[in-house]
Amino acid sequence: MNRFADIRRKVEAGEPLSYDDGVRLYESPDIHTLGELANIVREKRHGRVAYFNINRHINYSNYCVLRCRFCGFYRAYPKGADERRPPGPHPGTDGGYELSVSDMIAQASRAYAAGATEVHIVGGLHPKLPFSYYTDMCAAIRQACPHLHIKAFTAIEIIHFTRVAKPRLSIENVLTKLRDAGLGSMPGGGAEIFDDRVHHEAFRNKVGEVEWFEVHRTAHELGIFSNATMLYGHVETPAERIAHLIKLRDHQEESLRLRKSHFNCVIPLSFIPEGSDLSHLPGPSGIDDLKTLALSRLMCPNIPHIKAFWIMQTPKLAQVALDWGVDDIDGTVVYYDITKREGGGTTHQELSVDKLRRMIAEARCEPVERDTLYRRVIRNENTWRIVGESWEVGYDAAAEPIPGTSDVVPLQVSSSS
Ligand code: V47
């Protein structure tokens, strides 16, 4: 019964757990005590509140210069393609696409008109698009949707932009230009697992932890908030996950002490093998998901939120995880192209606000709609505002965010301009 008395004492006293504590907890079959301990940290910070948001994920292109083995999203850029061609789908190139800036405005505007507070924008490392494409995209969305929060670009994309910019730019310059154009904060993608062996085996040519942390350090120095992910359940060991989480905790400790902003959230991403070069692997089990989410809560008590991204953990497991340290389940999402289940599935992956609220309430939590920075969103029939802000935004909850919904693959709809 008292197997974890020493760890419980540390958790209750708010002391950091050691690497050995983390490994011991992972190796124990007692997932209930693990969940209970994680919930001590969760409830100290958030009580029974569980957050969701009304958001829209938009993937601007799946062309990528990398070939990460865990990724089923990337497509090779066609050899000999005319770089001056208008962005759009390119039949015969295995489903490759890139959206024009006007496609992006159209998608963001529809989401905004239907009441979304956030667009989450990421894509592959496109070999040809100039840096101005990304600043133009942010500026155009900012102009069309003044209060829509633009959360965009993983640390890996930011490094890519430093290289495609002509002349090359520093990380600080890239982030400053994007922020001036409208970027609000950064998502946590591209972290995978901070370990040389795993890096070599699963994503050899991607920039590694040094650069990933450098981007987030610079963002935090500039006052840009960001998130942090961990992709688990492929070729890494549980002990390597613990080491990854401790690196995030150490970075956060520095950012809280020295910088203007910090990580808001850890998102442990459950590996989906379908469509990747690692499709022979089984992917994490439900127990493994729960253990990893709970350990993320326990190992990183200085990072405010732990998110179960329902697209990857599934809505059912994300709901149960609200008792395993999780306080956030992401949002409505609507379209998601990076991972798809069930034999390649559709990009239309959506949960309604009603469904999100019901899932949370059924788990005996209080559903709270947040904005990207975890401020409460207050809605009336057709306006929303954020607590502490003087402006409000009108919307039409009945508006269909994207015409045609489920059978349309909007990422392949292009306009030329
Ligand atoms: O960087 C790629 C991962 C990430 C697979 O910050 C895969 O709020 C599972 O970062 N199975 C993108 N994961 C998603 C991401 C994210 C998602 C939700 C919220 C936030 C946030 C960030 O997806 C990539 C990569 O690590 N990924 N392939 C796969 N087969």
Side-chain angles (χ1 to χ4, degrees), residues 70 120 151 187-190 192 227 231 267 270 272 307 336 339:
F70 58 76
H120 178 145
K151 175 171 119 192
E192 323 315 359
N227 291 338
L231 176 64
I267 307 111
S270 184
I272 297 180
K307 180 189 290 186
Y336 197 73
T339 55

Side-chain angles (χ1 to χ4, degrees), residues 115-400:
T117 61
E118 168 192 287
V119 272
H120 178 145
I121 300 173
V122 293
L125 305 189
H126 194 291
K128 302 291 181 190
L129 291 171
F131 180 52
S132 57
Y133 168 83
Y134 307 99
T135 49
D136 288 352
M137 176 201 299
C138 289
I141 295 174
R142 170 59 54 253
Q143 198 185 9
C145 315
H147 294 293
L148 186 63
H149 185 103
I150 303 172
K151 175 171 119 192
F153 312 127
T154 65
I156 310 303
E157 288 162 275
I158 299 295
I159 296 284
H160 181 65
F161 301 163
T162 65
R163 297 171 178 170
V164 298
K166 292 191 175 98
R168 282 184 171 219
L169 291 172
S170 66
I171 294 170
E172 182 179 347
N173 272 330
V174 163
L175 288 173
T176 305
K177 284 177 191 296
L178 288 170
R179 185 179 57 182
D180 291 348
L183 179 77
S185 65
M186 283 176 59
E192 323 315 359
I193 289 283
F194 301 133
D195 179 88
D196 289 347
R197 181 194 67 79
V198 180
H199 182 265
H200 188 74
E201 258 186 66
F203 44 100
R204 182 171 313 177
N205 295 318
K206 196 173 209 164
V207 296
E209 75 182 78
V210 171
E211 292 88 350
W212 192 94
F213 277 113
E214 200 183 336
V215 171
H216 285 268
R217 185 178 311 114
T218 311
H220 296 170
E221 279 163 0
L222 292 170
I224 299 170
F225 284 91
S226 67
N227 291 338
T229 56
M230 171 171 76
L231 176 64
Y232 66 93
H234 45 98
V235 302
E236 90 294 356
T237 64
E240 285 160 349
R241 297 180 203 171
I242 304 295
H244 178 101
L245 293 168
I246 290 177
K247 288 178 186 177
L248 293 179
R249 176 175 83 195
D250 290 348
H251 179 99
Q252 178 78 340
E253 193 276 320
E254 274 183 26
S255 284
L256 288 170
R257 198 158 37 84
L258 303 171
R259 303 177 188 124
K260 292 187 198 146
S261 63
H262 52 77
F263 293 129
N264 270 331
C265 185
V266 180
I267 307 111
L269 300 169
S270 184
F271 172 54
I272 297 180
E274 281 97 327
S276 79
D277 279 359
L278 298 176
S279 59
H280 55 284
L281 297 178
S285 67
I287 299 281
D288 198 5
D289 282 333
L290 283 180
K291 283 184 169 185
T292 306
L293 290 161
L295 274 160
S296 303
R297 181 61 293 170
L298 283 164
M299 299 310 296
C300 300
N302 59 356
I303 301 184
H305 302 279
I306 304 294
K307 180 189 290 186
F309 185 40
W310 62 261
I311 294 274
M312 287 173 194
Q313 269 98 7
T314 75
K316 289 180 185 180
L317 192 120
Q319 181 190 38
V320 173
L322 292 171
D323 267 335
W324 262 263
V326 165
D327 64 279
D328 187 342
I329 56 174
D330 205 80
T332 44
V333 180
V334 186
Y335 289 99
Y336 197 73
D337 198 28
I338 297 178
T339 55
K340 296 183 263 326
R341 287 187 188 269
E342 286 142 23
T346 161
T347 57
H348 183 220
Q349 305 188 70
E350 177 174 11
L351 283 181
S352 67
V353 173
D354 278 356
K355 181 89 196 262
L356 288 162
R357 284 187 177 279
R358 261 187 285 125
M359 278 167 61
I360 292 172
E362 199 193 8
R364 297 169 299 105
C365 290
E366 179 199 343
V368 169
E369 185 190 342
R370 61 164 177 89
D371 76 346
T372 310
L373 304 177
Y374 290 88
R375 297 174 300 176
R376 286 186 184 228
V377 176
I378 310 288
R379 281 182 194 267
N380 287 317
E381 225 166 279
N382 49 13
T383 61
W384 62 265
R385 67 183 176 83
I386 288 168
V387 170
E389 296 287 355
S390 53
W391 44 263
E392 64 177 17
V393 178
Y395 71 101
D396 175 3
E400 202 176 14

